[in-house]
Amino acid sequence: MRLLHTSDWHLGRSFHRVGLLDAQAAFLDHLVAAVHEHEVDAVLVAGDVYDRAVPPLPAVELFDTALHRLAEAGVPTVMISGNHDSARRLGVGAGLIRRAGIHLRTDPDGIGTPVVLADGHGDVALYGLPYLEPALVRDRLGATKAGHEAVLAAAMDRVRADLATRPPGTRSVVLAHAFVAGGAPSDSERDITVGGVSAVPTGVFDGVDYVALGHLHGSQTLTPRVRYSGSPLAYSFSETDHRKTMWLIDLGADGAVTDAVRLDCPVPRTLARIRGRLDDLLADPALTPHEQAWVEATLTDPVRPAEPMNRLTERFPHTLHLVFDPERTADDTGASYAQRLRDRSDRQIAEDFVAHVRGGATLDGAERAVLYGAFDDVRVDTTEREADR
């Protein structure tokens, strides 16, 4: 069976205030064309269809058009909700839409009920695990602990229990939206850390033949059977080196992944990160290939130059982000505020602040638990309010 694995469309998102709706429409054109060209048997969309719980109307219209085109293609499609989606909104009309071959999996109670497809070798059961916010689903799933690993383990117990009732030889596929250990994040994913832990081990998914992951925006292979498709478009300059693709997966008669091919997605405009003194950037012939790219420029001038953005856009008209990182002398070892915060999570920044105001005294275990609990409460509250809007 041939599967097309994609995720993290984030319909309605912009890139540094540049609208991406046309680029997202071009990607969906490409997806539908790939379904026909490669004779795909099923499309898997592993969450974050929208960029926010209440998406703008043009994004909803684009999604509606995509559903119609996938239905017209006659190829079954399985979609799950991600942490950016409103599960309740995305799931509206799921029963009716299912008649057109579009299967929306947004309700945790349906985790153990697969979409069953068949080919010449027998059945393939596709299980959709929507994004599972631990505080909201722990009791429903009967998880023994709070946290992503516990709720995903409980969800997978339901998957394995259902699979055990299926005819011998039934192959299995799971769609999930989570941060799985070994994956490399970028700057454009929303933090889903719970209690200081965000990643879950790949072993949680033991017992199934293929796991189609969403959440991380870079295409990644964690194991031959556990993969991220990544987002089809870049949503931050941290993704400058990403190759944006979908996975074309061939599932053999015994459930083994017999072939895995990356299908490149359309690139609306290349990304470039350039660094140096302003005059050097404006004169360097090596930067000519970046003149039509979306540019993030880091200026290292010791003194901030006058009108830097205006001057940069004369050569690089699509400059979107400007960073100042002045060169320092050997005697000046002070790091800028941005440098001190780089690659640090919100929790680490908060811990540093508490230590600073207490004269260097770090948090003990109980205090850290209170701080992490506050972050968890805020995230859960935000999720609940978005769902109720």
Side-chain angles (χ1 to χ4, degrees), residues 288-312:
T288 299
H290 303 320
E291 289 180 349
Q292 296 305 314
W294 279 324
V295 169
E296 178 188 73
T298 299
L299 300 185
T300 61
D301 301 71
V303 177
R304 182 173 301 203
E307 299 185 328
M309 183 62 86
N310 289 341
R311 294 174 63 190
L312 274 169

Side-chain angles (χ1 to χ4, degrees), residues 2 16 22 74 105 132 156 168 171 175 178 180 224 242 285 340 359:
R2 177 162 287 179
H16 289 272
D22 288 345
R105 290 294 191 260
L132 302 172
M156 285 301 301
R171 289 158 290 166
L175 290 78
V180 179
H242 284 191
R340 294 197 302 272

Side-chain angles (χ1 to χ4, degrees), residues 133 148 191-198 344-354 363 368-369 371-380:
E133 176 59 54
H148 290 292
D191 182 22
I192 59 171
T193 300
V194 174
V197 179
S198 59
R344 299 186 67 76
S345 69
D346 290 343
R347 287 165 175 76
Q348 290 171 322
I349 293 169
E351 286 192 54
D352 290 347
F353 174 77
V354 173
L363 281 72
R368 186 172 290 107
L371 180 63
Y372 286 4
F375 274 97
D376 293 346
D377 290 344
V378 169
R379 192 193 61 262
V380 171

Side-chain angles (χ1 to χ4, degrees), residues 87-88 106-111 130-143 151 154-155 158:
R88 290 169 60 184
T106 64
D107 186 350
D109 291 337
I111 283 172
Y131 171 69
L132 302 172
E133 176 59 54
L136 301 182
V137 303
R138 173 186 176 181
D139 293 338
R140 291 172 67 180
L141 295 179
V151 297
R158 293 191 178 190

Side-chain angles (χ1 to χ4, degrees), residues 1 45 62 173 241 343 347 363:
M1 182 167 287
V45 186
L62 183 57
V173 175
D241 295 329
D343 299 324
R347 287 165 175 76
L363 281 72

Side-chain angles (χ1 to χ4, degrees), residues 197-218:
V197 179
S198 59
V200 301
T202 56
V204 165
F205 300 104
D206 285 351
V208 296
D209 296 312
Y210 183 71
V211 182
L213 293 174
H215 180 58
L216 300 184
H217 288 181

Side-chain angles (χ1 to χ4, degrees), residues 23-349:
Q24 291 170 335
F27 159 69
L28 292 172
D29 289 343
H30 171 70
L31 183 147
V32 174
V35 166
H36 292 289
E37 178 184 352
H38 298 282
E39 300 180 338
V40 170
D41 296 307
V43 176
L44 314 179
V45 186
D48 280 354
V49 173
Y50 291 120
D51 188 55
R52 54 182 184 267
V54 185
L57 182 58
V60 178
E61 292 173 338
L62 183 57
F63 179 57
D64 180 64
T65 300
L67 291 185
H68 278 83
R69 295 178 68 186
L70 289 168
E72 290 168 0
V75 175
T77 299
V78 183
M79 297 183 172
I80 61 172
S81 50
N83 61 303
H84 279 250
D85 297 309
S86 166
R88 290 169 60 184
R89 281 184 172 78
L90 188 63
V92 168
L96 183 62
I97 294 171
R98 183 175 63 246
R99 299 180 185 178
I102 308 293
H103 304 272
L104 298 173
R105 290 294 191 260
T106 64
D107 186 350
D109 291 337
I111 283 172
T113 304
V115 177
V116 180
L117 306 179
D119 62 10
H121 302 294
D123 289 348
V124 178
L126 296 95
Y127 299 87
L129 278 58
Y131 171 69
L132 302 172
E133 176 59 54
L136 301 182
V137 303
R138 173 186 176 181
D139 293 338
R140 291 172 67 180
L141 295 179
T144 57
K145 299 178 181 178
H148 290 292
E149 182 175 355
V151 297
L152 275 171
M156 285 301 301
D157 284 343
R158 293 191 178 190
V159 168
R160 286 184 283 264
D162 178 84
L163 191 58
T165 69
R166 303 272 162 192
T170 298
R171 289 158 290 166
S172 54
V173 175
V174 164
L175 290 78
H177 196 86
F179 187 172
V180 179
S186 62
D187 293 343
S188 53
E189 298 119 6
R190 183 181 292 175
D191 182 22
I192 59 171
T193 300
V194 174
V197 179
S198 59
V200 301
T202 56
V204 165
F205 300 104
D206 285 351
V208 296
D209 296 312
Y210 183 71
V211 182
L213 293 174
H215 180 58
L216 300 184
H217 288 181
S219 178
Q220 300 169 63
T221 300
L222 305 186
T223 76
R225 66 178 187 86
V226 181
R227 301 170 188 260
Y228 281 101
S229 68
S231 61
L233 298 170
Y235 293 117
S236 71
F237 278 103
S238 67
E239 300 168 58
T240 298
D241 295 329
H242 284 191
R243 176 187 165 198
K244 296 301 184 180
T245 60
M246 303 179 287
W247 279 112
L248 190 66
I249 300 294
D250 285 345
L251 204 62
D254 61 354
V257 175
T258 58
D259 200 14
V261 177
R262 294 176 67 182
L263 301 182
D264 289 291
C265 297
V267 178
R269 193 179 295 277
T270 58
L271 306 185
R273 280 176 150 171
I274 60 177
R275 179 185 179 89
R277 295 192 178 198
L278 179 56
D279 288 341
D280 295 337
L281 296 180
L282 296 177
D284 189 351
L287 299 180
T288 299
H290 303 320
E291 289 180 349
Q292 296 305 314
W294 279 324
V295 169
E296 178 188 73
T298 299
L299 300 185
T300 61
D301 301 71
V303 177
R304 182 173 301 203
E307 299 185 328
M309 183 62 86
N310 289 341
R311 294 174 63 190
L312 274 169
T313 54
E314 289 179 3
R315 183 181 185 188
F316 307 102
H318 304 288
T319 301
L320 300 181
H321 191 213
L322 193 56
V323 179
F324 294 98
D325 186 16
E327 297 171 353
R328 299 185 179 277
T329 65
D331 296 332
D332 185 2
T333 59
S336 69
Y337 182 71
Q339 289 173 319
R340 294 197 302 272
L341 298 186
R342 189 172 298 152
D343 299 324
R344 299 186 67 76
S345 69
D346 290 343
R347 287 165 175 76
Q348 290 171 322
I349 293 169

